[in-house]
Amino acid sequence: MLNLLKRIGLFVILLSFFLVISQTTASVYAEGGWYGKHTSVMDVKLAGLNVRSGPGTSYPIIAQVSKGEDLVRYCPTTPNGCSPVGADGQEWLRNYYPDGNIGYYANAALGWIAWYSSDGGLSNKNYNYTQTAKVNRTSYLYTGDCPNLNSRKQTYDSPGEYQPAYDSELSASVCNPNAWRVRNYDITDYGFANGWNLNAE
């Protein structure tokens, strides 16, 4: 009986230790988990790029995006994840596209745009991955990205300045496609900026 109680006691101690470790790991992941939850910001290369409701030219055009506009790649709930869909001799990706009617923090207009041009080649892409953004309107840094930008830092960039990507590519948060993760080199700080105030380049 004594041996059984010792074994139960040892089991309880080991279980408690495991739970503490698990909670610590979960906490660390929760704090840094957003780092992996980002989606690429892209710069449109062609004028009048059609946005369609689905992947293919048979789907209706729902908007047009001008040259130099920004797109935020949409991944989370597409059936194929981030992989492009082939249709009509082109590759198609689902993106958020600019829509001033949607709302300041919720640039959530979705559509499909051809990844490759229709000139017969698969090397001519309609938009580029970007590494920096030019400031159009005064842009502040925020510590938090979701659900809206929050915890504003006393750090800002003025129009005409640049905010380089913090990561290798300019990235937006999945939960808030307007929250772009950038760096301010002037004071060696980083955080999230409002994509409506920036132009990916």
Side-chain angles (χ1 to χ4, degrees):
M1 183 68 176
L2 185 59
N3 285 338
L4 179 60
L5 289 175
K6 285 183 178 178
R7 288 179 183 174
I8 292 173
L10 181 60
F11 175 76
V12 170
I13 291 171
L14 289 174
L15 181 60
S16 300
F17 177 75
F18 175 76
L19 289 174
V20 168
I21 294 298
S22 297
Q23 288 177 350
T24 302
T25 303
S27 175
V28 171
Y29 176 78
E31 290 174 5
W34 59 268
Y35 179 82
K37 296 179 180 178
H38 63 266
T39 183
S40 300
V41 177
M42 299 175 175
D43 179 46
V44 175
K45 292 170 59 177
L46 302 178
L49 182 59
N50 291 330
V51 182
R52 296 182 180 270
S53 61
T57 54
S58 60
Y59 290 89
I61 296 171
I62 56 177
Q64 275 198 337
V65 181
S66 303
K67 183 176 181 179
E69 288 279 8
D70 304 327
L71 298 172
V72 178
R73 191 169 178 178
Y74 179 83
C75 296
T77 60
T78 53
N80 61 317
C82 288
S83 301
V85 174
D88 304 321
Q90 300 183 74
E91 298 292 323
W92 300 77
L93 291 177
R94 198 174 188 198
N95 300 95
Y96 292 105
Y97 63 91
D99 186 342
N101 298 317
I102 295 297
Y104 200 60
Y105 286 123
N107 183 13
L110 285 171
W112 290 81
I113 302 179
W115 175 231
Y116 295 110
S117 304
S118 56
D119 61 1
L122 293 182
S123 60
N124 189 14
K125 296 180 174 62
N126 288 335
Y127 41 95
N128 286 331
Y129 289 103
T130 56
Q131 295 179 324
T132 189
K134 188 174 183 179
V135 178
N136 293 330
R137 292 177 290 276
T138 299
S139 177
Y140 286 88
L141 282 181
Y142 295 82
T143 301
D145 53 339
C146 302
N148 292 329
L149 292 166
N150 58 80
S151 303
R152 190 174 85 177
K153 301 182 180 185
Q154 294 302 314
T155 305
Y156 69 91
D157 283 308
S158 302
E161 295 181 357
Y162 286 87
Q163 290 186 330
Y166 181 81
D167 306 291
S168 58
E169 294 173 355
L170 191 61
S171 304
S173 171
V174 168
C175 57
N176 180 1
N178 278 336
W180 295 5
R181 191 164 181 253
V182 296
R183 179 185 292 276
N184 183 306
Y185 276 131
D186 293 338
I187 59 172
T188 317
D189 199 2
Y190 72 93
F192 295 97
N194 189 338
W196 280 95
N197 296 331
L198 309 176
N199 186 39
E201 292 190 357

